[in-house]
Amino acid sequence: MAPEVATRGPDVTPAAVEFIGVAKRFGKNAPNVLDDVSLRIGAGEIVGIIGPSGAGKSTLARLINGLERPTTGQVLVDGRDHGTAREHELNELRTRIGMVFQQFNLFNSRTVAGNVGFALQVAGVAKSRRRARVAELLEFVGIADRAKAWPSALSGGQKQRVGIARALATSPSILIADEATSALDPQTTDDILKLLRRINSDLGTTIVVITHEMDVVREVCGRVAVLADGRLVDHGEVYDVFAHPHSAVTRGLVRHAVAGVPDTDLLDTLRARHRGRLLTVEIRDDSARFDLPALAATHGGSASVIHGGIADLGGRPFGALTYEVTAPDDAIEQIVGESRSAPGVVVHESRSR
Ligand code: ADP
C-alpha cells in the first residue's frame, strides 16, 4: 500500500513555495549569496534548480526548509511566511518538507527500519503505528527485503532508497532532493529518478531537484530555474529554457546536456575528418524539419550526418544534426544558399576561408 497521500490542493495550482525578492547574505558586510530572487514553485511540480557550484542552490534549499532565513524578501511555503514564523511553527512547517541528500546521511548504528522508524519517532508518531508505517514506506521505495540490514551493507542506490523512505515518513507535501543522485552510477541514477517520478505522480508531492547534472533535469523536471552568482538567470519550462536560454551560463549547461551547434574545437575535429561542406540543422518541434539530404539530392549531391543527436525533452524532440554535404562545386553553393534561409540551419564556413 502506498504511503498517505500528501495534500494536493484545489484545481487551480497553488504555490507550494514562493520566493519574493529574496536576498541572503551570511554576515553584515558579506556579499549576497542570493540576490533579488523571485520564484514560484507550483504544487505538484517537479522543478530543477541548477547552476554552477557556489551559485546558491543549497542556500535556496535551506531557505525552503527554514534552516536559513532570508536577509530581505519573503519565502512562503504552502502560503505561510517562513521568515516571520516562530520556532514551533517552523518545526511544524519542516515536517511538511522532506530532504534527501547526496551522502544519504543515514545513522550507521541503526538498521534500515531503524533509520526510518527514528524519523517517525522524532515526528511524534505513536509507537503502535510506527512498525506498520515503516513497512509501508520501505515497500513503497522497493527495499522491504532489506529492513533488518545495516546501512554499511547496502549499495549506494539502496542507501538512497532508505533516505527517501525516511524523507517521506511524515508525508511531506514538498520533497527537496539536494544532489540526490550525484554519488550514484548512471543506471542507479535512472532507478532513483523513476522513484522520484512515482512519488510525484502517486503521492502528489512537489519535488525540488537541486542538481548540477543536466541529464537529471532532462529526465524528470517539468520546469527549471537556473542560478548564477546568486541570481535567477533563467526560469521556465525545461523545453523553453533549453531552446531559448537567456544567459551564457544556461547556454553552457545546455550544451553539455544535448547535442547543439558544434563549437570551434569540435568543428576543427570534424573538418579534419570530413572534406565536404558542414552544416548544422537544429531540431525543434516548433519548426518544420528542414530536409537537407533531399535538398542536396535535387542538386545531384548528398548529405550525411556526421555528428549530433536528438533527445526527448518532455516528449518533445530537441537536438541538432551536423551534416557533411558533398556535391559538384556550383551545386554546393546553391545548396548552401538555399539552406541559409531555412529556420534553424547554421552554415559553417568552409575550411579554406
Ligand atoms: P551551491 O549549492 O550552488 O554550490 P551554496 O548555496 O552552497 O551554493 O553556496 C553559495 C555561496 O554561499 C558560496 O559562496 C558559499 O561559500 C556561501 N555560503 C553558503 N553557506 C554559507 C554559510 N553558512 N556561511 C557563509 N557562507 C556560506
Side-chain angles (χ1 to χ4, degrees), residues 255-282:
R255 206 167 28 236
H256 286 104
V258 283
V261 178
D263 60 17
T264 44
D265 285 350
L266 180 55
L267 268 180
D268 285 345
T269 308
L270 295 173
R271 282 178 177 135
R273 273 206 301 261
H274 304 280
R275 305 205 63 77
R277 194 66 187 267
L278 306 188
L279 279 81
T280 300
V281 179
E282 291 182 306

mmCIF file of all heavy atoms in Angstrom, residues 255-282:
data_model
loop_
_atom_site.group_PDB
_atom_site.id
_atom_site.type_symbol
_atom_site.label_atom_id
_atom_site.label_comp_id
_atom_site.label_asym_id
_atom_site.label_seq_id
_atom_site.Cartn_x
_atom_site.Cartn_y
_atom_site.Cartn_z
ATOM 1 N N ARG A 255 24.576 23.001 -23.448
ATOM 2 C CA ARG A 255 25.493 22.403 -24.418
ATOM 3 C C ARG A 255 26.016 21.051 -23.941
ATOM 4 O O ARG A 255 26.292 20.162 -24.723
ATOM 5 C CB ARG A 255 26.665 23.357 -24.659
ATOM 6 C CG ARG A 255 27.281 23.158 -26.009
ATOM 7 C CD ARG A 255 28.219 24.219 -26.478
ATOM 8 N NE ARG A 255 28.910 24.953 -25.470
ATOM 9 C CZ ARG A 255 28.875 26.273 -25.362
ATOM 10 N NH1 ARG A 255 28.145 26.982 -26.187
ATOM 11 N NH2 ARG A 255 29.551 26.877 -24.430
ATOM 12 N N HIS A 256 26.120 20.904 -22.622
ATOM 13 C CA HIS A 256 26.618 19.638 -22.093
ATOM 14 C C HIS A 256 25.532 18.566 -22.016
ATOM 15 O O HIS A 256 25.824 17.393 -21.845
ATOM 16 C CB HIS A 256 27.238 19.838 -20.707
ATOM 17 C CG HIS A 256 28.572 20.505 -20.790
ATOM 18 N ND1 HIS A 256 28.751 21.821 -20.466
ATOM 19 C CD2 HIS A 256 29.761 20.052 -21.216
ATOM 20 C CE1 HIS A 256 30.022 22.149 -20.677
ATOM 21 N NE2 HIS A 256 30.649 21.089 -21.132
ATOM 22 N N ALA A 257 24.293 18.977 -22.110
ATOM 23 C CA ALA A 257 23.199 18.022 -21.914
ATOM 24 C C ALA A 257 22.649 17.472 -23.218
ATOM 25 O O ALA A 257 22.244 16.321 -23.285
ATOM 26 C CB ALA A 257 22.072 18.679 -21.129
ATOM 27 N N VAL A 258 22.592 18.282 -24.240
ATOM 28 C CA VAL A 258 22.019 17.841 -25.512
ATOM 29 C C VAL A 258 22.893 18.328 -26.651
ATOM 30 O O VAL A 258 23.586 19.333 -26.533
ATOM 31 C CB VAL A 258 20.577 18.387 -25.712
ATOM 32 C CG1 VAL A 258 19.582 17.624 -24.888
ATOM 33 C CG2 VAL A 258 20.511 19.857 -25.418
ATOM 34 N N ALA A 259 22.827 17.598 -27.770
ATOM 35 C CA ALA A 259 23.635 17.984 -28.923
ATOM 36 C C ALA A 259 23.185 19.349 -29.425
ATOM 37 O O ALA A 259 21.994 19.653 -29.479
ATOM 38 C CB ALA A 259 23.479 16.944 -30.022
ATOM 39 N N GLY A 260 24.162 20.195 -29.754
ATOM 40 C CA GLY A 260 23.847 21.519 -30.260
ATOM 41 C C GLY A 260 24.723 21.851 -31.451
ATOM 42 O O GLY A 260 25.275 20.954 -32.104
ATOM 43 N N VAL A 261 24.859 23.143 -31.728
ATOM 44 C CA VAL A 261 25.744 23.579 -32.802
ATOM 45 C C VAL A 261 27.181 23.384 -32.307
ATOM 46 O O VAL A 261 27.523 23.839 -31.221
ATOM 47 C CB VAL A 261 25.482 25.069 -33.127
ATOM 48 C CG1 VAL A 261 26.429 25.551 -34.227
ATOM 49 C CG2 VAL A 261 24.024 25.266 -33.539
ATOM 50 N N PRO A 262 28.030 22.693 -33.078
ATOM 51 C CA PRO A 262 29.394 22.414 -32.597
ATOM 52 C C PRO A 262 30.176 23.694 -32.320
ATOM 53 O O PRO A 262 30.023 24.676 -33.052
ATOM 54 C CB PRO A 262 30.031 21.644 -33.763
ATOM 55 C CG PRO A 262 28.927 21.235 -34.652
ATOM 56 C CD PRO A 262 27.775 22.147 -34.414
ATOM 57 N N ASP A 263 30.996 23.683 -31.258
ATOM 58 C CA ASP A 263 31.858 24.838 -31.008
ATOM 59 C C ASP A 263 33.101 24.747 -31.901
ATOM 60 O O ASP A 263 33.273 23.775 -32.648
ATOM 61 C CB ASP A 263 32.218 24.935 -29.512
ATOM 62 C CG ASP A 263 32.952 23.700 -29.012
ATOM 63 O OD1 ASP A 263 33.463 22.931 -29.853
ATOM 64 O OD2 ASP A 263 33.010 23.502 -27.784
ATOM 65 N N THR A 264 33.977 25.737 -31.817
ATOM 66 C CA THR A 264 35.086 25.798 -32.783
ATOM 67 C C THR A 264 36.032 24.601 -32.656
ATOM 68 O O THR A 264 36.497 24.090 -33.663
ATOM 69 C CB THR A 264 35.891 27.107 -32.619
ATOM 70 O OG1 THR A 264 36.086 27.323 -31.237
ATOM 71 C CG2 THR A 264 35.194 28.274 -33.243
ATOM 72 N N ASP A 265 36.281 24.136 -31.437
ATOM 73 C CA ASP A 265 37.179 22.979 -31.263
ATOM 74 C C ASP A 265 36.612 21.744 -31.960
ATOM 75 O O ASP A 265 37.310 21.032 -32.671
ATOM 76 C CB ASP A 265 37.368 22.650 -29.772
ATOM 77 C CG ASP A 265 38.286 23.658 -29.108
ATOM 78 O OD1 ASP A 265 38.894 24.463 -29.855
ATOM 79 O OD2 ASP A 265 38.380 23.657 -27.862
ATOM 80 N N LEU A 266 35.305 21.524 -31.722
ATOM 81 C CA LEU A 266 34.681 20.351 -32.328
ATOM 82 C C LEU A 266 34.647 20.495 -33.853
ATOM 83 O O LEU A 266 34.881 19.523 -34.584
ATOM 84 C CB LEU A 266 33.264 20.165 -31.766
ATOM 85 C CG LEU A 266 32.476 18.974 -32.313
ATOM 86 C CD1 LEU A 266 33.227 17.663 -32.146
ATOM 87 C CD2 LEU A 266 31.122 18.884 -31.617
ATOM 88 N N LEU A 267 34.390 21.722 -34.330
ATOM 89 C CA LEU A 267 34.372 21.939 -35.783
ATOM 90 C C LEU A 267 35.719 21.583 -36.403
ATOM 91 O O LEU A 267 35.782 20.961 -37.463
ATOM 92 C CB LEU A 267 34.046 23.405 -36.091
ATOM 93 C CG LEU A 267 32.568 23.735 -36.310
ATOM 94 C CD1 LEU A 267 32.413 25.219 -36.601
ATOM 95 C CD2 LEU A 267 31.953 22.913 -37.436
ATOM 96 N N ASP A 268 36.805 21.994 -35.713
ATOM 97 C CA ASP A 268 38.144 21.664 -36.227
ATOM 98 C C ASP A 268 38.307 20.157 -36.351
ATOM 99 O O ASP A 268 38.831 19.647 -37.344
ATOM 100 C CB ASP A 268 39.227 22.231 -35.297
ATOM 101 C CG ASP A 268 39.354 23.740 -35.466
ATOM 102 O OD1 ASP A 268 38.825 24.258 -36.477
ATOM 103 O OD2 ASP A 268 39.952 24.393 -34.589
ATOM 104 N N THR A 269 37.845 19.428 -35.329
ATOM 105 C CA THR A 269 37.940 17.961 -35.352
ATOM 106 C C THR A 269 37.130 17.387 -36.514
ATOM 107 O O THR A 269 37.593 16.510 -37.246
ATOM 108 C CB THR A 269 37.401 17.376 -34.024
ATOM 109 O OG1 THR A 269 38.063 18.038 -32.961
ATOM 110 C CG2 THR A 269 37.616 15.887 -33.932
ATOM 111 N N LEU A 270 35.905 17.908 -36.675
ATOM 112 C CA LEU A 270 35.037 17.391 -37.745
ATOM 113 C C LEU A 270 35.622 17.700 -39.119
ATOM 114 O O LEU A 270 35.586 16.876 -40.028
ATOM 115 C CB LEU A 270 33.627 17.991 -37.619
ATOM 116 C CG LEU A 270 32.832 17.591 -36.360
ATOM 117 C CD1 LEU A 270 31.527 18.378 -36.270
ATOM 118 C CD2 LEU A 270 32.551 16.089 -36.357
ATOM 119 N N ARG A 271 36.194 18.919 -39.246
ATOM 120 C CA ARG A 271 36.777 19.308 -40.547
ATOM 121 C C ARG A 271 37.989 18.451 -40.894
ATOM 122 O O ARG A 271 38.242 18.164 -42.063
ATOM 123 C CB ARG A 271 37.191 20.778 -40.508
ATOM 124 C CG ARG A 271 36.009 21.719 -40.667
ATOM 125 C CD ARG A 271 36.479 23.151 -40.572
ATOM 126 N NE ARG A 271 35.403 24.077 -40.794
ATOM 127 C CZ ARG A 271 35.173 25.147 -40.043
ATOM 128 N NH1 ARG A 271 35.960 25.410 -39.017
ATOM 129 N NH2 ARG A 271 34.187 25.954 -40.317
ATOM 130 N N ALA A 272 38.718 18.017 -39.852
ATOM 131 C CA ALA A 272 39.887 17.173 -40.107
ATOM 132 C C ALA A 272 39.469 15.806 -40.639
ATOM 133 O O ALA A 272 40.211 15.146 -41.348
ATOM 134 C CB ALA A 272 40.696 17.015 -38.816
ATOM 135 N N ARG A 273 38.252 15.404 -40.283
ATOM 136 C CA ARG A 273 37.772 14.074 -40.676
ATOM 137 C C ARG A 273 36.963 14.099 -41.970
ATOM 138 O O ARG A 273 36.838 13.092 -42.639
ATOM 139 C CB ARG A 273 36.880 13.509 -39.570
ATOM 140 C CG ARG A 273 37.618 12.766 -38.488
ATOM 141 C CD ARG A 273 36.715 11.739 -37.815
ATOM 142 N NE ARG A 273 35.529 12.306 -37.198
ATOM 143 C CZ ARG A 273 35.425 12.568 -35.900
ATOM 144 N NH1 ARG A 273 36.444 12.330 -35.098
ATOM 145 N NH2 ARG A 273 34.317 13.062 -35.402
ATOM 146 N N HIS A 274 36.356 15.256 -42.278
ATOM 147 C CA HIS A 274 35.411 15.310 -43.409
ATOM 148 C C HIS A 274 35.765 16.467 -44.334
ATOM 149 O O HIS A 274 35.909 17.610 -43.873
ATOM 150 C CB HIS A 274 33.984 15.480 -42.887
ATOM 151 C CG HIS A 274 33.582 14.406 -41.921
ATOM 152 N ND1 HIS A 274 33.167 13.157 -42.316
ATOM 153 C CD2 HIS A 274 33.590 14.388 -40.565
ATOM 154 C CE1 HIS A 274 32.903 12.427 -41.245
ATOM 155 N NE2 HIS A 274 33.162 13.141 -40.164
ATOM 156 N N ARG A 275 35.860 16.185 -45.610
ATOM 157 C CA ARG A 275 36.312 17.205 -46.557
ATOM 158 C C ARG A 275 35.160 18.025 -47.137
ATOM 159 O O ARG A 275 35.365 19.083 -47.720
ATOM 160 C CB ARG A 275 37.105 16.538 -47.695
ATOM 161 C CG ARG A 275 38.279 15.693 -47.200
ATOM 162 C CD ARG A 275 39.339 15.556 -48.249
ATOM 163 N NE ARG A 275 39.946 16.842 -48.628
ATOM 164 C CZ ARG A 275 40.847 17.473 -47.887
ATOM 165 N NH1 ARG A 275 41.244 16.977 -46.729
ATOM 166 N NH2 ARG A 275 41.364 18.615 -48.301
ATOM 167 N N GLY A 276 33.919 17.528 -46.995
ATOM 168 C CA GLY A 276 32.763 18.234 -47.570
ATOM 169 C C GLY A 276 32.397 19.475 -46.759
ATOM 170 O O GLY A 276 33.032 19.797 -45.758
ATOM 171 N N ARG A 277 31.338 20.173 -47.209
ATOM 172 C CA ARG A 277 30.867 21.374 -46.523
ATOM 173 C C ARG A 277 30.021 20.968 -45.308
ATOM 174 O O ARG A 277 29.216 20.033 -45.407
ATOM 175 C CB ARG A 277 30.031 22.184 -47.518
ATOM 176 C CG ARG A 277 29.739 23.586 -47.085
ATOM 177 C CD ARG A 277 31.007 24.415 -47.015
ATOM 178 N NE ARG A 277 30.720 25.703 -46.446
ATOM 179 C CZ ARG A 277 30.415 26.778 -47.159
ATOM 180 N NH1 ARG A 277 30.393 26.728 -48.479
ATOM 181 N NH2 ARG A 277 30.147 27.913 -46.569
ATOM 182 N N LEU A 278 30.197 21.638 -44.170
ATOM 183 C CA LEU A 278 29.481 21.247 -42.949
ATOM 184 C C LEU A 278 28.329 22.212 -42.634
ATOM 185 O O LEU A 278 28.512 23.428 -42.648
ATOM 186 C CB LEU A 278 30.451 21.199 -41.759
ATOM 187 C CG LEU A 278 31.703 20.319 -41.922
ATOM 188 C CD1 LEU A 278 32.458 20.209 -40.599
ATOM 189 C CD2 LEU A 278 31.335 18.920 -42.431
ATOM 190 N N LEU A 279 27.184 21.639 -42.348
ATOM 191 C CA LEU A 279 26.002 22.424 -41.960
ATOM 192 C C LEU A 279 25.359 21.757 -40.750
ATOM 193 O O LEU A 279 25.344 20.529 -40.661
ATOM 194 C CB LEU A 279 24.954 22.443 -43.087
ATOM 195 C CG LEU A 279 25.143 23.431 -44.243
ATOM 196 C CD1 LEU A 279 26.124 22.877 -45.252
ATOM 197 C CD2 LEU A 279 23.799 23.687 -44.916
ATOM 198 N N THR A 280 24.843 22.564 -39.846
ATOM 199 C CA THR A 280 24.126 22.005 -38.696
ATOM 200 C C THR A 280 22.650 22.396 -38.783
ATOM 201 O O THR A 280 22.328 23.562 -39.022
ATOM 202 C CB THR A 280 24.712 22.523 -37.368
ATOM 203 O OG1 THR A 280 26.090 22.121 -37.292
ATOM 204 C CG2 THR A 280 23.962 21.947 -36.167
ATOM 205 N N VAL A 281 21.784 21.420 -38.600
ATOM 206 C CA VAL A 281 20.338 21.677 -38.579
ATOM 207 C C VAL A 281 19.851 21.454 -37.148
ATOM 208 O O VAL A 281 19.984 20.352 -36.612
ATOM 209 C CB VAL A 281 19.586 20.729 -39.544
ATOM 210 C CG1 VAL A 281 18.088 20.995 -39.490
ATOM 211 C CG2 VAL A 281 20.117 20.875 -40.960
ATOM 212 N N GLU A 282 19.336 22.512 -36.542
ATOM 213 C CA GLU A 282 18.806 22.369 -35.180
ATOM 214 C C GLU A 282 17.436 21.703 -35.244
ATOM 215 O O GLU A 282 16.616 22.053 -36.089
ATOM 216 C CB GLU A 282 18.692 23.743 -34.520
ATOM 217 C CG GLU A 282 20.052 24.356 -34.234
ATOM 218 C CD GLU A 282 19.945 25.694 -33.537
ATOM 219 O OE1 GLU A 282 19.244 26.570 -34.049
ATOM 220 O OE2 GLU A 282 20.568 25.843 -32.474
#
